[in-house]
Amino acid sequence: MGAVVSHASAAAPPPPPPGYAPTFADAASSAPPPLTPPGTGKDAAAVAEEEEEEGEKVDYMNLPCPVPYEDLQREAMMALRIDTFEGFRFDFIKGITPFFSLCHSVSMVSMELPSQGADVIKVPTSNYEFGANYLHPKMVLMGRVSHDGRLSARTKWDPSENLCVKINAQLTSEPHYSQGMLHCDYKGKDFRTQLQLGNGAYYGGNYIQSVTKNLSLGTEFFWIGQHRKSGVGFAARYDTKKMVATGQIATTGVVSLSYVQKVSEKVSLASDFMYNPMAKDVTASFGYDYMLRQCRLRGKIDTNGVVSALLEEHMAPGVNFNLSAEVDHWKKDYKFGFGMSIGE
């Protein structure tokens, strides 16, 4: 769009003098000016996109529902909290009905023993677990029992579209090591809230609210009656189509920051920063998450000198192969593992 200038009526330029040869500077000066608005160095499409973003008004009566408080850093966790393992692991899942399945898990790994020196002491060990899963759109029941008597169970029940009840429990033969937790989640139009009850007189809760289309703020509290400890935390999350930035701080002094850059639909780069004054520990890590057609590659490196990588290969429908590696340069500890999973 714009004014149309006709060159037919313009007078023809005088001919160049004999022996004249145009230079590069003359050709550049005679070229038509770029299609940029006055006073800007951007093209019209970029300026129009910026004007559209600036002119978009925030509809505070129609804000999106934020992510759960416990999942504020889920994008960063996918790349930085990878499930590396050592040794061999094999999982077999057998579907009985469309909602019910049984699973068997065998692992042969090395268990680290505490030592006073810097050397790492490992003892080979093995483990077998038998589990059952019931997966329904409104209810999920999962249970695992190991050969040494440990029992773990998870329950998720959705009585309505806005209410969710979750129960996690772990029972062991050792005294004071059994745990249980009850979560009640409520999902509103533009907010989420959660109440928590656990053993040891644990009481907690959190609330997160969407402030704008991209920004959400939240807070949490907890009280442990058995240890007479309490705390309050605050969090913020800013997410767009290209990035996610989060920040959390608690009265215990813990500070957690994370940033994820979405390079494309299949590639993400992540980093985080953790400061714990109680343990006098400061850690920063950088990682990546790369989704290929039939595999997924994740890796990270942190300031403690630990380098980790995990490869998940989909060899065939229902058949997955995993490769895990971790190197701790400071402790001179090396871990390598591979695993196989069969079944849907």
Side-chain angles (χ1 to χ4, degrees), residues 42-259:
K42 306 174 182 178
D43 57 10
V47 173
E49 183 178 355
E50 292 183 358
E51 290 179 353
E52 182 180 356
E53 294 179 356
E54 295 177 357
E56 183 179 0
K57 296 182 180 180
V58 179
D59 185 5
Y60 293 98
M61 301 302 295
N62 191 24
L63 295 176
C65 185
V67 300
Y69 191 93
E70 56 189 9
D71 294 337
L72 283 174
Q73 299 181 352
R74 61 185 181 184
E75 292 85 358
M77 295 298 178
M78 295 300 293
L80 302 177
R81 300 294 183 269
I82 54 180
D83 184 18
T84 57
F85 58 95
E86 183 180 15
F88 171 74
R89 187 169 64 186
F90 176 77
D91 298 325
F92 177 75
I93 303 174
K94 174 62 176 179
I96 307 299
T97 67
F99 302 113
F100 183 71
S101 62
L102 300 177
C103 62
H104 305 268
S105 179
V106 179
S107 60
M108 292 179 289
V109 298
S110 298
M111 182 178 60
E112 295 184 7
L113 298 179
S115 61
Q116 297 180 354
D119 298 335
V120 179
I121 302 177
K122 296 183 179 181
V123 177
T125 182
S126 60
N127 184 47
Y128 168 76
E129 288 186 353
F130 172 77
N133 304 323
Y134 178 78
L135 306 178
H136 191 268
K138 289 189 176 182
M139 177 172 287
V140 176
L141 301 175
M142 301 179 65
R144 298 288 187 275
V145 59
S146 62
H147 71 283
D148 57 359
R150 291 184 294 108
L151 174 65
S152 60
R154 293 178 56 190
T155 302
K156 182 178 179 293
W157 176 45
D158 298 331
S160 65
E161 296 182 357
N162 299 330
L163 184 61
C164 177
V165 179
K166 295 181 292 184
I167 300 177
N168 299 329
Q170 184 175 1
L171 305 178
T172 63
S173 58
E174 301 179 6
H176 309 294
Y177 277 89
S178 299
Q179 299 177 356
M181 184 73 69
L182 170 66
H183 302 262
C184 295
D185 301 346
Y186 182 80
K187 175 183 177 182
K189 183 179 179 181
D190 56 0
F191 71 92
R192 290 178 184 265
T193 184
Q194 182 186 82
L195 295 178
Q196 304 169 354
L197 298 176
N199 63 318
Y202 177 88
Y203 305 94
N206 56 64
Y207 178 86
I208 184 169
Q209 171 73 53
S210 292
V211 181
T212 65
K213 180 181 177 181
N214 306 108
L215 178 64
S216 56
L217 303 177
T219 181
E220 67 173 342
F221 73 94
F222 70 90
W223 163 257
I224 307 177
Q226 183 177 1
H227 301 286
R228 299 288 180 177
K229 292 184 179 180
S230 63
V232 178
F234 303 93
R237 173 186 168 97
Y238 185 85
D239 62 286
T240 63
K241 296 181 179 180
K242 292 295 184 180
M243 53 81 67
V244 178
T246 65
Q248 293 181 267
I249 186 172
T251 54
T252 56
V254 177
V255 178
S256 177
L257 306 174
S258 69
Y259 178 81

